[in-house]
Amino acid sequence: MKTKYSYKDIVLQPSYSDIKSRSELDVSKEFLGRRFNSVAIPANMKCTIDFDKALQLSEAGYFYILHRFYDYDQILKWVEDSQLIRTISISLGVNNKDYKFIDKLVNRDLRVDFITIDVAHGHHLLVKEMIEYIKYKCKFTQVIAGNVGTPNAAKDLISWGADAVKIGLSMGKSCTTYNCTGVGTPMFSTVEAVAQHLSEDIPIIADGQIREVGDVCKALVAGASMVMIGSEFAKCEDSPADIIGGPAVGNTNKKVFFGSASSTNKGHDGYVEGQTVVLDMRDETYLQYLERINQGIQSCMSYGGNKDINKLNLMDYAIHTNN
């Protein structure tokens, strides 16, 4: 059995560089025909994205994916009110209410630029049927589908009509899928394997296991186009995550972060594969964190002598693991 590696098992290797100023390197990224100011995306979860954050990120030139856990009438109203913003990007599931929502978008002639089919196990018949329905009904909408964890699954999503794939199972800080089921995806090796089996023009979103800015760089080296981050965005002072404080948490401000499959989010205890965790709040906004990520990528490119963010996947790396 081939050993597979997580980001923490990987060390990127430096190369000769003739880059005189890393601050001049372009770390913007083209994704599905549009250019965004960073590869980083807040996870499409209640604790990391809401209507206000979506608007802020859109107007600042960043990509986002709105979560699907609002009442759908609220999402529809937000889409209606947002027809003039730069980017309208939402999530849906694969149930009857999701089909009805698509019908309402079409009947009201509403523009949606990106729809992410957001389910725990994306290599599934119901995802295939939803991709086909969206592509049939919404001719100008790009479809992101996931989450999946194998090259065959990613290839199937593309053959079903998806424009991009989202990779990662059980790797988030609040996810307990691995604990409950034994299923998971060591992220570096998984992203690398998928990238090697897909055409270079198929975008991959690496979703999960980001703990440091360097992990974002490693995801790009593995072959990701964009990188989704949950807990590290939730820690920001302006995240939608609830703030708690006082003696019970050491008299410091904390952020409450919970998984989409947690009982907190689902409202019941059936098939729970997520948990609620308390995080130290950072004195940093989303825009400041995104800038810190961009600077980290610039430095990584400089260490690798690489002037093109799209060629980071050619950077050498070494394995360091005690497993």
Side-chain angles (χ1 to χ4, degrees), residues 89-102:
S89 175
I90 64 172
S91 302
L92 292 177
V94 293
N95 298 315
N96 287 338
K97 71 173 186 176
D98 301 286
Y99 285 91
K100 292 178 180 178
F101 184 88
I102 293 296

Side-chain angles (χ1 to χ4, degrees), residues 49-59 66 70 78 238 240:
I49 192 73
D50 62 9
F51 292 138
D52 291 337
K53 275 290 162 215
L55 177 60
Q56 180 193 30
L57 292 171
S58 170
E59 297 312 280
L66 187 69
Y70 284 112
W78 185 82
D238 60 339

